Amino acid sequence: MLFNEEYETLPREALEALQLKRLRAQIERVYATVPYYRGKMDEAGVLPGDIKTLADISKLPFTTKEDLRKNYPFGLFTVPLERVVRIHASSGTTGQPTVVGYTKRDIAIWAELMARCLTAAGATPKDIIHNAYGYGLFTGGLGAHYGAENLGATVVPISGGNTKRQIMLMRDFGSTVLLCTPSYALNLAEAMTDMGIDPKEMALKVGVFGAEPWSENMREEIEKKLGIKAIDIYGLSEIIGPGVAIECAEEQKGLHVMEDHFLPEIVHPETFEPLPLGEKGELVFTTLTKEAFPVIRYRTKDFSRLITNPCACGRTFFRMEKVTGRSDDMLIIRGVNVFPSQIEHVLISIKGVEPHYQIIVNREGSMDTLEVQVEVSDTVFSDEVKQLEGLAKKIQHEIKDLLGVSCKVKLVEPKTIQRSEGKAKRVIDNRKI
Amino acid sequence: MKVEQIAIFLENKSGRLAEITSILAEKGINIRAMSLADTADFGILRLIVNDTENARKVLKEKGFTVGTTEVIVVEVADKPGGLAGVLQTLKKSEINIEYMYAFTQKSGETGLIIFRFEKLDEAINALVKSGVRLLSGEEVYAI
């Protein structure tokens, strides 16, 4: 099924002509309206007029998370705030979020892209969509919500948490489509079993899972336990949110990139040279139609490759391989982006706490668990249990406050955390992603 | 009146306690009293030894986290009700006990109770006023 047959099946030549037209207009506009981008382009010695072919995109400078941070909060918006109808934000390092804005048209396009994704996954206007992505500053909940409404399905804006109630409503409403993170999907399956409900007796037929990396093994597990088809969705708030790319139900092999709105590139993770089609490297996106917050050659730090073979579903959009790794130390814990440096920031801000720490990530059952081990120095040590437990609770609370993710804090003896000569090995990730 | 106690942070790992006692034994340091507070993740070992300064030094050298605190050691008659009177005094003065542990002396005539207070001086005043005998550091280290 296709939500927008005309665009989703454009012959490559027509698609590339459209991409070029949109790219040139976008670059013109960004150069004219955002001093920061103009500065970067001038520095690189490139003018909007130099972009004559799609390949010319490689002349443009990259945009990184660092650039977004430097322009916090609204420095990269290309329209006055009065035209911005919504703001989302994702967690950033050291507590400063990445802020993104949308005009009315951006929201409409986003809703179209999400509707395309839901359709690709097999959802129709007849479906009841249980949306357990978090509603709020995170793009997942609202992004998926507007897409489901746009499709004409019945959306249940359940958001996250309160698993038992979620299951009860899912059962009572006869929900057919589940939207959440893959780890929460497994969590739901387990909770159903605990409640004495056979997941297969639910009306669920398909799930659209994203916001965190997940393996083929996890897909099999979800499909088996819930008796549904599990579809991978990709997106990031810097580009638009969920809806950048989607697996089709026909093949479930690679995710079709919404190429009429986003131009994907794969670059070498160290030299940043563009790589030939089909090679694996860092995924880079340029938005072609975003109004409020366009990004030029945004480095996602996600590793993938582009698949150019035709697909059984008829979409002509290239597919990106499922993302499994990243080029930085960002962890995705239960759908939340966590940088080790954020945890460091919290520890340093607590008087007397040594920044010797280790982060241990496990997957227990289906849930990611985060343990932060902190060395007890003489300054924070106390002969009283309540003081030490209070310290652990305080660290836990501050991390939860800043990152929005709960963790276990374990106090350990000094020098037990490996000291390394160079880059400290801060993270032990035992998840098999 | 005040007695020095050392506290050592311990992870719940087998052999840590044995290691501490060996380190002290090697240096000829004698343990006078001890108690171990445990939680799910860690323990706090509290010791009174005959050479606090040295004990602290060698344990620190071996990489342990060591703290020193002042506690008081109260002598009570080794018979039913011996401790109850002391606790009544503290209750009347509204003094809160952080923790305590006890041991009896060889003679079997008196028991020794080690108390940790936030308000140490207030506790000492209240106990002395009520006629309770507090041991000096020297007395305890030499037991």
Side-chain angles (χ1 to χ4, degrees), chain A residues 376-378 381-389 408-416, chain B residues 7-11 16 37 39 41-42 44 46 60 63 65-66 69 98-99 116 118:
Chain A
V376 175
S377 64
D378 287 0
F381 178 57
S382 159
D383 60 309
E384 294 179 51
V385 171
K386 68 172 183 193
Q387 300 284 355
L388 287 180
E389 287 190 330
K408 175 184 184 333
V409 172
K410 187 175 178 194
L411 300 176
V412 297
E413 287 174 26
K415 309 283 182 291
T416 46
Chain B
I8 301 124
F9 180 83
L10 290 176
E11 264 177 73
R16 296 307 274 160
T39 71
D41 286 327
F42 62 85
I44 303 171
R46 299 146 184 166
K60 278 207 73 65
T65 300
V66 188
T69 6
E98 295 305 323
Y99 59 79
R116 164 79 156 92
E118 280 304 326

Side-chain angles (χ1 to χ4, degrees), chain A residues 52-77:
Chain A
K52 295 185 177 75
T53 66
L54 283 179
D56 288 337
I57 194 166
S58 62
K59 294 175 181 170
L60 293 166
F62 289 103
T63 307
T64 61
K65 213 170 177 78
E66 189 54 38
D67 293 312
L68 308 191
R69 222 177 303 146
K70 276 187 203 152
N71 290 280
Y72 174 87
F74 307 136
L76 295 180
F77 286 17

